[in-house]
Amino acid sequence: MSELTRIPAPDGVAASAQYSHVVLGTGRFVAIAGQLALDERGRPVGEGDPAVQARQVFENLRRCLAAAGATFDDVVKLTYFVTDVAHMPAVRAARAEHIPDDRLPAASAVQVAALVRPECLIEVEAFAVVAP
């Protein structure tokens, strides 16, 4: 695991309880493609249920991070794509199962008209920094 520094609120920037504004560290950069609520065979999970989908998305992220020798502790940035911002509480609940509040990465959330798989409500991509 790399040594990461989280800056929740730089001078002159309002703090957020949902993410850190800045996360920095040194090490190997890992980019994880946007993950959808698909099982290991590519079948949709939890159609119409944002909570079930968010949990599957974070499980897929965990598996991808592990493949790179990383964990959620190494994540510096998450980007959430949701078809409805009303799904964000489910996303935050799933994130809380993997990332404690004192280790929140930088984050962005974007409402989109649709995702590449129409039955999916949520997509999340991650960037991590892993010790060399």
Side-chain angles (χ1 to χ4, degrees):
M1 180 172 76
S2 68
E3 184 66 32
L4 299 179
T5 301
R6 290 169 174 78
I7 304 170
D11 289 342
V13 178
S16 171
Q18 303 303 322
Y19 57 88
S20 297
H21 281 283
V22 180
V23 181
L24 57 117
T26 57
R28 196 169 39 90
F29 180 75
V30 177
I32 306 296
Q35 296 298 302
L36 298 168
L38 303 175
D39 68 14
E40 62 277 354
R41 298 174 119 191
R43 296 177 301 210
V45 173
E47 198 165 339
D49 186 333
V52 171
Q53 287 200 9
R55 285 193 300 277
Q56 182 66 46
V57 165
F58 273 87
E59 177 58 20
N60 291 349
L61 286 169
R62 185 195 65 73
R63 290 175 179 168
C64 290
L65 288 163
T71 70
F72 280 104
D73 283 341
D74 301 308
V75 172
V76 296
K77 174 79 164 63
L78 292 172
T79 305
Y80 311 108
F81 302 95
V82 294
T83 58
D84 187 331
V85 294
H87 302 325
M88 286 306 298
V91 171
R92 285 191 292 272
R95 182 200 63 207
E97 294 175 15
H98 297 278
I99 304 172
D101 286 347
D102 65 340
R103 301 195 58 77
L104 292 174
S108 300
V110 181
Q111 181 172 316
V112 296
L115 295 168
V116 68
R117 296 284 299 260
E119 63 273 31
C120 292
L121 306 172
I122 299 161
E123 181 173 345
V124 182
E125 67 181 18
F127 296 101
V129 175
V130 182

mmCIF file of all heavy atoms in Angstrom, residues 45-89:
data_model
loop_
_atom_site.group_PDB
_atom_site.id
_atom_site.type_symbol
_atom_site.label_atom_id
_atom_site.label_comp_id
_atom_site.label_asym_id
_atom_site.label_seq_id
_atom_site.Cartn_x
_atom_site.Cartn_y
_atom_site.Cartn_z
ATOM 1 N N VAL A 45 -27.005 -7.840 -12.676
ATOM 2 C CA VAL A 45 -27.381 -8.179 -11.299
ATOM 3 C C VAL A 45 -28.274 -7.059 -10.779
ATOM 4 O O VAL A 45 -27.966 -5.878 -10.964
ATOM 5 C CB VAL A 45 -26.123 -8.321 -10.413
ATOM 6 C CG1 VAL A 45 -26.489 -8.503 -8.957
ATOM 7 C CG2 VAL A 45 -25.255 -9.463 -10.904
ATOM 8 N N GLY A 46 -29.364 -7.409 -10.119
ATOM 9 C CA GLY A 46 -30.203 -6.418 -9.438
ATOM 10 C C GLY A 46 -30.914 -5.454 -10.358
ATOM 11 O O GLY A 46 -31.031 -4.267 -10.042
ATOM 12 N N GLU A 47 -31.417 -5.938 -11.461
ATOM 13 C CA GLU A 47 -32.087 -5.046 -12.406
ATOM 14 C C GLU A 47 -33.175 -4.220 -11.707
ATOM 15 O O GLU A 47 -34.032 -4.761 -11.012
ATOM 16 C CB GLU A 47 -32.701 -5.868 -13.541
ATOM 17 C CG GLU A 47 -33.023 -5.029 -14.739
ATOM 18 C CD GLU A 47 -33.289 -5.845 -15.998
ATOM 19 O OE1 GLU A 47 -32.851 -7.014 -16.064
ATOM 20 O OE2 GLU A 47 -33.940 -5.299 -16.895
ATOM 21 N N GLY A 48 -33.076 -2.894 -11.841
ATOM 22 C CA GLY A 48 -34.040 -1.983 -11.238
ATOM 23 C C GLY A 48 -33.794 -1.663 -9.777
ATOM 24 O O GLY A 48 -34.514 -0.856 -9.198
ATOM 25 N N ASP A 49 -32.781 -2.273 -9.153
ATOM 26 C CA ASP A 49 -32.504 -2.081 -7.725
ATOM 27 C C ASP A 49 -31.132 -1.435 -7.538
ATOM 28 O O ASP A 49 -30.101 -2.114 -7.620
ATOM 29 C CB ASP A 49 -32.555 -3.426 -7.003
ATOM 30 C CG ASP A 49 -32.433 -3.304 -5.493
ATOM 31 O OD1 ASP A 49 -31.828 -2.328 -5.008
ATOM 32 O OD2 ASP A 49 -32.938 -4.204 -4.797
ATOM 33 N N PRO A 50 -31.094 -0.115 -7.298
ATOM 34 C CA PRO A 50 -29.802 0.563 -7.197
ATOM 35 C C PRO A 50 -28.917 0.049 -6.049
ATOM 36 O O PRO A 50 -27.694 0.032 -6.178
ATOM 37 C CB PRO A 50 -30.153 2.041 -7.011
ATOM 38 C CG PRO A 50 -31.590 2.079 -6.659
ATOM 39 C CD PRO A 50 -32.215 0.817 -7.144
ATOM 40 N N ALA A 51 -29.505 -0.393 -4.945
ATOM 41 C CA ALA A 51 -28.692 -0.888 -3.818
ATOM 42 C C ALA A 51 -27.966 -2.176 -4.199
ATOM 43 O O ALA A 51 -26.770 -2.329 -3.939
ATOM 44 C CB ALA A 51 -29.565 -1.095 -2.584
ATOM 45 N N VAL A 52 -28.675 -3.098 -4.820
ATOM 46 C CA VAL A 52 -28.062 -4.365 -5.247
ATOM 47 C C VAL A 52 -27.009 -4.085 -6.319
ATOM 48 O O VAL A 52 -25.905 -4.641 -6.294
ATOM 49 C CB VAL A 52 -29.133 -5.348 -5.757
ATOM 50 C CG1 VAL A 52 -28.506 -6.568 -6.410
ATOM 51 C CG2 VAL A 52 -30.044 -5.768 -4.610
ATOM 52 N N GLN A 53 -27.335 -3.216 -7.246
ATOM 53 C CA GLN A 53 -26.376 -2.892 -8.303
ATOM 54 C C GLN A 53 -25.123 -2.229 -7.736
ATOM 55 O O GLN A 53 -24.008 -2.560 -8.132
ATOM 56 C CB GLN A 53 -27.022 -2.011 -9.372
ATOM 57 C CG GLN A 53 -27.993 -2.784 -10.233
ATOM 58 C CD GLN A 53 -28.281 -2.119 -11.556
ATOM 59 O OE1 GLN A 53 -27.650 -1.147 -11.957
ATOM 60 N NE2 GLN A 53 -29.260 -2.662 -12.267
ATOM 61 N N ALA A 54 -25.290 -1.298 -6.816
ATOM 62 C CA ALA A 54 -24.131 -0.614 -6.231
ATOM 63 C C ALA A 54 -23.218 -1.607 -5.511
ATOM 64 O O ALA A 54 -21.992 -1.531 -5.637
ATOM 65 C CB ALA A 54 -24.587 0.484 -5.278
ATOM 66 N N ARG A 55 -23.800 -2.543 -4.773
ATOM 67 C CA ARG A 55 -22.973 -3.551 -4.093
ATOM 68 C C ARG A 55 -22.192 -4.395 -5.104
ATOM 69 O O ARG A 55 -21.015 -4.691 -4.904
ATOM 70 C CB ARG A 55 -23.827 -4.417 -3.179
ATOM 71 C CG ARG A 55 -24.244 -3.691 -1.901
ATOM 72 C CD ARG A 55 -24.811 -4.629 -0.844
ATOM 73 N NE ARG A 55 -25.996 -5.357 -1.268
ATOM 74 C CZ ARG A 55 -27.237 -4.879 -1.234
ATOM 75 N NH1 ARG A 55 -27.469 -3.661 -0.761
ATOM 76 N NH2 ARG A 55 -28.261 -5.607 -1.642
ATOM 77 N N GLN A 56 -22.833 -4.772 -6.214
ATOM 78 C CA GLN A 56 -22.136 -5.563 -7.240
ATOM 79 C C GLN A 56 -21.022 -4.748 -7.885
ATOM 80 O O GLN A 56 -19.924 -5.260 -8.131
ATOM 81 C CB GLN A 56 -23.121 -6.046 -8.306
ATOM 82 C CG GLN A 56 -22.468 -6.906 -9.381
ATOM 83 C CD GLN A 56 -21.955 -8.226 -8.843
ATOM 84 O OE1 GLN A 56 -22.663 -8.897 -8.106
ATOM 85 N NE2 GLN A 56 -20.732 -8.609 -9.204
ATOM 86 N N VAL A 57 -21.294 -3.482 -8.173
ATOM 87 C CA VAL A 57 -20.280 -2.610 -8.768
ATOM 88 C C VAL A 57 -19.056 -2.531 -7.854
ATOM 89 O O VAL A 57 -17.915 -2.664 -8.314
ATOM 90 C CB VAL A 57 -20.862 -1.207 -9.050
ATOM 91 C CG1 VAL A 57 -19.769 -0.196 -9.315
ATOM 92 C CG2 VAL A 57 -21.845 -1.267 -10.213
ATOM 93 N N PHE A 58 -19.265 -2.323 -6.553
ATOM 94 C CA PHE A 58 -18.131 -2.220 -5.638
ATOM 95 C C PHE A 58 -17.415 -3.558 -5.466
ATOM 96 O O PHE A 58 -16.191 -3.590 -5.296
ATOM 97 C CB PHE A 58 -18.546 -1.601 -4.299
ATOM 98 C CG PHE A 58 -18.480 -0.106 -4.349
ATOM 99 C CD1 PHE A 58 -19.561 0.632 -4.807
ATOM 100 C CD2 PHE A 58 -17.329 0.575 -3.983
ATOM 101 C CE1 PHE A 58 -19.496 2.013 -4.898
ATOM 102 C CE2 PHE A 58 -17.244 1.952 -4.068
ATOM 103 C CZ PHE A 58 -18.336 2.676 -4.532
ATOM 104 N N GLU A 59 -18.126 -4.662 -5.563
ATOM 105 C CA GLU A 59 -17.467 -5.970 -5.543
ATOM 106 C C GLU A 59 -16.603 -6.141 -6.795
ATOM 107 O O GLU A 59 -15.477 -6.638 -6.725
ATOM 108 C CB GLU A 59 -18.498 -7.099 -5.436
ATOM 109 C CG GLU A 59 -17.897 -8.478 -5.479
ATOM 110 C CD GLU A 59 -16.858 -8.774 -4.400
ATOM 111 O OE1 GLU A 59 -16.821 -8.072 -3.367
ATOM 112 O OE2 GLU A 59 -16.076 -9.724 -4.596
ATOM 113 N N ASN A 60 -17.099 -5.707 -7.940
ATOM 114 C CA ASN A 60 -16.305 -5.773 -9.166
ATOM 115 C C ASN A 60 -15.076 -4.872 -9.066
ATOM 116 O O ASN A 60 -13.978 -5.263 -9.491
ATOM 117 C CB ASN A 60 -17.151 -5.401 -10.380
ATOM 118 C CG ASN A 60 -18.211 -6.438 -10.692
ATOM 119 O OD1 ASN A 60 -18.210 -7.540 -10.142
ATOM 120 N ND2 ASN A 60 -19.138 -6.087 -11.566
ATOM 121 N N LEU A 61 -15.243 -3.691 -8.501
ATOM 122 C CA LEU A 61 -14.088 -2.810 -8.288
ATOM 123 C C LEU A 61 -13.058 -3.485 -7.382
ATOM 124 O O LEU A 61 -11.859 -3.446 -7.655
ATOM 125 C CB LEU A 61 -14.526 -1.477 -7.672
ATOM 126 C CG LEU A 61 -15.245 -0.502 -8.590
ATOM 127 C CD1 LEU A 61 -15.843 0.640 -7.771
ATOM 128 C CD2 LEU A 61 -14.308 0.034 -9.665
ATOM 129 N N ARG A 62 -13.526 -4.113 -6.297
ATOM 130 C CA ARG A 62 -12.615 -4.793 -5.378
ATOM 131 C C ARG A 62 -11.811 -5.857 -6.105
ATOM 132 O O ARG A 62 -10.595 -5.960 -5.944
ATOM 133 C CB ARG A 62 -13.402 -5.417 -4.217
ATOM 134 C CG ARG A 62 -12.501 -6.035 -3.141
ATOM 135 C CD ARG A 62 -13.269 -6.949 -2.208
ATOM 136 N NE ARG A 62 -13.815 -8.133 -2.876
ATOM 137 C CZ ARG A 62 -13.083 -9.177 -3.288
ATOM 138 N NH1 ARG A 62 -11.779 -9.191 -3.122
ATOM 139 N NH2 ARG A 62 -13.671 -10.208 -3.882
ATOM 140 N N ARG A 63 -12.474 -6.634 -6.942
ATOM 141 C CA ARG A 63 -11.792 -7.693 -7.694
ATOM 142 C C ARG A 63 -10.782 -7.114 -8.680
ATOM 143 O O ARG A 63 -9.690 -7.656 -8.842
ATOM 144 C CB ARG A 63 -12.818 -8.553 -8.425
ATOM 145 C CG ARG A 63 -13.649 -9.400 -7.487
ATOM 146 C CD ARG A 63 -14.729 -10.150 -8.208
ATOM 147 N NE ARG A 63 -15.490 -10.979 -7.269
ATOM 148 C CZ ARG A 63 -16.619 -11.561 -7.561
ATOM 149 N NH1 ARG A 63 -17.147 -11.435 -8.768
ATOM 150 N NH2 ARG A 63 -17.248 -12.295 -6.657
ATOM 151 N N CYS A 64 -11.138 -6.031 -9.345
ATOM 152 C CA CYS A 64 -10.211 -5.394 -10.288
ATOM 153 C C CYS A 64 -9.001 -4.815 -9.558
ATOM 154 O O CYS A 64 -7.860 -4.961 -10.019
ATOM 155 C CB CYS A 64 -10.932 -4.303 -11.080
ATOM 156 S SG CYS A 64 -12.132 -4.931 -12.266
ATOM 157 N N LEU A 65 -9.247 -4.156 -8.432
ATOM 158 C CA LEU A 65 -8.137 -3.629 -7.640
ATOM 159 C C LEU A 65 -7.212 -4.764 -7.199
ATOM 160 O O LEU A 65 -5.985 -4.647 -7.302
ATOM 161 C CB LEU A 65 -8.662 -2.863 -6.424
ATOM 162 C CG LEU A 65 -9.314 -1.520 -6.723
ATOM 163 C CD1 LEU A 65 -10.155 -1.046 -5.530
ATOM 164 C CD2 LEU A 65 -8.261 -0.482 -7.098
ATOM 165 N N ALA A 66 -7.788 -5.861 -6.719
ATOM 166 C CA ALA A 66 -6.985 -7.003 -6.271
ATOM 167 C C ALA A 66 -6.120 -7.537 -7.411
ATOM 168 O O ALA A 66 -4.951 -7.914 -7.195
ATOM 169 C CB ALA A 66 -7.884 -8.094 -5.705
ATOM 170 N N ALA A 67 -6.651 -7.567 -8.626
ATOM 171 C CA ALA A 67 -5.888 -8.045 -9.773
ATOM 172 C C ALA A 67 -4.657 -7.184 -10.029
ATOM 173 O O ALA A 67 -3.651 -7.659 -10.571
ATOM 174 C CB ALA A 67 -6.776 -8.079 -11.018
ATOM 175 N N ALA A 68 -4.715 -5.917 -9.608
ATOM 176 C CA ALA A 68 -3.588 -4.988 -9.761
ATOM 177 C C ALA A 68 -2.721 -4.925 -8.504
ATOM 178 O O ALA A 68 -1.821 -4.104 -8.418
ATOM 179 C CB ALA A 68 -4.104 -3.596 -10.101
ATOM 180 N N GLY A 69 -3.030 -5.760 -7.514
ATOM 181 C CA GLY A 69 -2.280 -5.721 -6.259
ATOM 182 C C GLY A 69 -2.660 -4.543 -5.392
ATOM 183 O O GLY A 69 -1.866 -4.080 -4.576
ATOM 184 N N ALA A 70 -3.879 -4.067 -5.545
ATOM 185 C CA ALA A 70 -4.345 -2.882 -4.814
ATOM 186 C C ALA A 70 -5.582 -3.233 -3.985
ATOM 187 O O ALA A 70 -6.185 -4.292 -4.163
ATOM 188 C CB ALA A 70 -4.680 -1.753 -5.792
ATOM 189 N N THR A 71 -5.928 -2.321 -3.090
ATOM 190 C CA THR A 71 -7.148 -2.420 -2.298
ATOM 191 C C THR A 71 -7.840 -1.059 -2.336
ATOM 192 O O THR A 71 -7.306 -0.092 -2.891
ATOM 193 C CB THR A 71 -6.865 -2.787 -0.825
ATOM 194 O OG1 THR A 71 -6.240 -1.662 -0.191
ATOM 195 C CG2 THR A 71 -5.985 -4.024 -0.706
ATOM 196 N N PHE A 72 -8.996 -0.988 -1.705
ATOM 197 C CA PHE A 72 -9.679 0.308 -1.636
ATOM 198 C C PHE A 72 -8.857 1.334 -0.858
ATOM 199 O O PHE A 72 -9.043 2.531 -1.063
ATOM 200 C CB PHE A 72 -11.080 0.145 -1.039
ATOM 201 C CG PHE A 72 -12.092 -0.347 -2.027
ATOM 202 C CD1 PHE A 72 -12.526 -1.662 -1.998
ATOM 203 C CD2 PHE A 72 -12.608 0.495 -2.996
ATOM 204 C CE1 PHE A 72 -13.458 -2.128 -2.916
ATOM 205 C CE2 PHE A 72 -13.539 0.046 -3.923
ATOM 206 C CZ PHE A 72 -13.962 -1.270 -3.886
ATOM 207 N N ASP A 73 -7.957 0.902 0.008
ATOM 208 C CA ASP A 73 -7.086 1.843 0.718
ATOM 209 C C ASP A 73 -6.190 2.620 -0.240
ATOM 210 O O ASP A 73 -5.693 3.687 0.102
ATOM 211 C CB ASP A 73 -6.218 1.122 1.746
ATOM 212 C CG ASP A 73 -6.975 0.743 2.997
ATOM 213 O OD1 ASP A 73 -8.051 1.320 3.250
ATOM 214 O OD2 ASP A 73 -6.477 -0.118 3.735
ATOM 215 N N ASP A 74 -5.943 2.068 -1.426
ATOM 216 C CA ASP A 74 -5.059 2.699 -2.411
ATOM 217 C C ASP A 74 -5.805 3.631 -3.371
ATOM 218 O O ASP A 74 -5.182 4.323 -4.168
ATOM 219 C CB ASP A 74 -4.358 1.617 -3.237
ATOM 220 C CG ASP A 74 -3.542 0.675 -2.376
ATOM 221 O OD1 ASP A 74 -2.730 1.158 -1.578
ATOM 222 O OD2 ASP A 74 -3.742 -0.554 -2.492
ATOM 223 N N VAL A 75 -7.132 3.644 -3.310
ATOM 224 C CA VAL A 75 -7.926 4.427 -4.265
ATOM 225 C C VAL A 75 -7.789 5.918 -3.962
ATOM 226 O O VAL A 75 -7.989 6.356 -2.840
ATOM 227 C CB VAL A 75 -9.404 3.984 -4.245
ATOM 228 C CG1 VAL A 75 -10.271 4.921 -5.077
ATOM 229 C CG2 VAL A 75 -9.522 2.550 -4.741
ATOM 230 N N VAL A 76 -7.452 6.674 -5.002
ATOM 231 C CA VAL A 76 -7.325 8.123 -4.860
ATOM 232 C C VAL A 76 -8.498 8.866 -5.496
ATOM 233 O O VAL A 76 -8.762 10.013 -5.155
ATOM 234 C CB VAL A 76 -5.993 8.654 -5.443
ATOM 235 C CG1 VAL A 76 -4.816 8.096 -4.671
ATOM 236 C CG2 VAL A 76 -5.857 8.354 -6.921
ATOM 237 N N LYS A 77 -9.219 8.206 -6.434
ATOM 238 C CA LYS A 77 -10.322 8.890 -7.125
ATOM 239 C C LYS A 77 -11.363 7.887 -7.565
ATOM 240 O O LYS A 77 -11.037 6.827 -8.079
ATOM 241 C CB LYS A 77 -9.777 9.627 -8.360
ATOM 242 C CG LYS A 77 -10.813 10.281 -9.268
ATOM 243 C CD LYS A 77 -11.309 11.583 -8.720
ATOM 244 C CE LYS A 77 -12.031 12.478 -9.689
ATOM 245 N NZ LYS A 77 -13.243 12.013 -10.258
ATOM 246 N N LEU A 78 -12.623 8.212 -7.334
ATOM 247 C CA LEU A 78 -13.759 7.458 -7.845
ATOM 248 C C LEU A 78 -14.613 8.399 -8.682
ATOM 249 O O LEU A 78 -14.811 9.564 -8.311
ATOM 250 C CB LEU A 78 -14.618 6.899 -6.705
ATOM 251 C CG LEU A 78 -14.010 5.805 -5.835
ATOM 252 C CD1 LEU A 78 -14.912 5.518 -4.637
ATOM 253 C CD2 LEU A 78 -13.783 4.544 -6.655
ATOM 254 N N THR A 79 -15.108 7.896 -9.786
ATOM 255 C CA THR A 79 -16.070 8.650 -10.587
ATOM 256 C C THR A 79 -17.333 7.807 -10.696
ATOM 257 O O THR A 79 -17.273 6.645 -11.102
ATOM 258 C CB THR A 79 -15.523 8.974 -11.988
ATOM 259 O OG1 THR A 79 -14.276 9.662 -11.845
ATOM 260 C CG2 THR A 79 -16.496 9.852 -12.761
ATOM 261 N N TYR A 80 -18.445 8.396 -10.289
ATOM 262 C CA TYR A 80 -19.746 7.723 -10.301
ATOM 263 C C TYR A 80 -20.556 8.244 -11.475
ATOM 264 O O TYR A 80 -20.696 9.457 -11.646
ATOM 265 C CB TYR A 80 -20.531 8.036 -9.021
ATOM 266 C CG TYR A 80 -19.763 7.844 -7.745
ATOM 267 C CD1 TYR A 80 -19.345 8.943 -7.000
ATOM 268 C CD2 TYR A 80 -19.470 6.576 -7.274
ATOM 269 C CE1 TYR A 80 -18.648 8.773 -5.825
ATOM 270 C CE2 TYR A 80 -18.773 6.400 -6.088
ATOM 271 C CZ TYR A 80 -18.362 7.500 -5.363
ATOM 272 O OH TYR A 80 -17.671 7.337 -4.198
ATOM 273 N N PHE A 81 -21.097 7.322 -12.257
ATOM 274 C CA PHE A 81 -22.029 7.652 -13.328
ATOM 275 C C PHE A 81 -23.347 6.984 -12.948
ATOM 276 O O PHE A 81 -23.396 5.760 -12.777
ATOM 277 C CB PHE A 81 -21.536 7.117 -14.672
ATOM 278 C CG PHE A 81 -20.172 7.637 -15.048
ATOM 279 C CD1 PHE A 81 -19.036 6.896 -14.765
ATOM 280 C CD2 PHE A 81 -20.025 8.865 -15.672
ATOM 281 C CE1 PHE A 81 -17.775 7.365 -15.102
ATOM 282 C CE2 PHE A 81 -18.769 9.349 -16.014
ATOM 283 C CZ PHE A 81 -17.637 8.596 -15.725
ATOM 284 N N VAL A 82 -24.391 7.772 -12.786
ATOM 285 C CA VAL A 82 -25.698 7.237 -12.376
ATOM 286 C C VAL A 82 -26.765 7.745 -13.338
ATOM 287 O O VAL A 82 -26.676 8.863 -13.839
ATOM 288 C CB VAL A 82 -26.053 7.639 -10.918
ATOM 289 C CG1 VAL A 82 -25.096 6.990 -9.930
ATOM 290 C CG2 VAL A 82 -26.044 9.148 -10.743
ATOM 291 N N THR A 83 -27.755 6.910 -13.566
ATOM 292 C CA THR A 83 -28.845 7.330 -14.450
ATOM 293 C C THR A 83 -29.844 8.231 -13.738
ATOM 294 O O THR A 83 -30.679 8.853 -14.381
ATOM 295 C CB THR A 83 -29.569 6.107 -15.047
ATOM 296 O OG1 THR A 83 -30.057 5.296 -13.983
ATOM 297 C CG2 THR A 83 -28.626 5.302 -15.943
ATOM 298 N N ASP A 84 -29.714 8.298 -12.406
ATOM 299 C CA ASP A 84 -30.570 9.173 -11.599
ATOM 300 C C ASP A 84 -29.804 9.494 -10.321
ATOM 301 O O ASP A 84 -29.344 8.579 -9.625
ATOM 302 C CB ASP A 84 -31.880 8.448 -11.265
ATOM 303 C CG ASP A 84 -32.906 9.326 -10.572
ATOM 304 O OD1 ASP A 84 -32.517 10.284 -9.857
ATOM 305 O OD2 ASP A 84 -34.104 9.053 -10.718
ATOM 306 N N VAL A 85 -29.663 10.778 -10.001
ATOM 307 C CA VAL A 85 -28.924 11.144 -8.786
ATOM 308 C C VAL A 85 -29.581 10.584 -7.533
ATOM 309 O O VAL A 85 -28.934 10.470 -6.493
ATOM 310 C CB VAL A 85 -28.709 12.671 -8.646
ATOM 311 C CG1 VAL A 85 -27.795 13.195 -9.735
ATOM 312 C CG2 VAL A 85 -30.014 13.421 -8.621
ATOM 313 N N ALA A 86 -30.819 10.176 -7.635
ATOM 314 C CA ALA A 86 -31.493 9.544 -6.495
ATOM 315 C C ALA A 86 -30.839 8.211 -6.121
ATOM 316 O O ALA A 86 -31.084 7.686 -5.040
ATOM 317 C CB ALA A 86 -32.974 9.336 -6.800
ATOM 318 N N HIS A 87 -29.987 7.664 -6.997
ATOM 319 C CA HIS A 87 -29.274 6.418 -6.696
ATOM 320 C C HIS A 87 -28.031 6.652 -5.828
ATOM 321 O O HIS A 87 -27.432 5.686 -5.340
ATOM 322 C CB HIS A 87 -28.844 5.708 -7.977
ATOM 323 C CG HIS A 87 -29.968 5.368 -8.902
ATOM 324 N ND1 HIS A 87 -31.229 5.003 -8.474
ATOM 325 C CD2 HIS A 87 -30.020 5.332 -10.253
ATOM 326 C CE1 HIS A 87 -32.001 4.769 -9.514
ATOM 327 N NE2 HIS A 87 -31.296 4.972 -10.605
ATOM 328 N N MET A 88 -27.634 7.896 -5.622
ATOM 329 C CA MET A 88 -26.391 8.173 -4.893
ATOM 330 C C MET A 88 -26.404 7.667 -3.446
ATOM 331 O O MET A 88 -25.367 7.199 -2.969
ATOM 332 C CB MET A 88 -26.034 9.663 -4.953
ATOM 333 C CG MET A 88 -25.492 10.094 -6.312
ATOM 334 S SD MET A 88 -24.093 9.113 -6.912
ATOM 335 C CE MET A 88 -22.874 9.456 -5.636
ATOM 336 N N PRO A 89 -27.497 7.719 -2.700
ATOM 337 C CA PRO A 89 -27.460 7.125 -1.357
ATOM 338 C C PRO A 89 -27.091 5.633 -1.386
ATOM 339 O O PRO A 89 -26.337 5.158 -0.541
ATOM 340 C CB PRO A 89 -28.873 7.350 -0.819
ATOM 341 C CG PRO A 89 -29.331 8.591 -1.521
ATOM 342 C CD PRO A 89 -28.754 8.454 -2.915
#
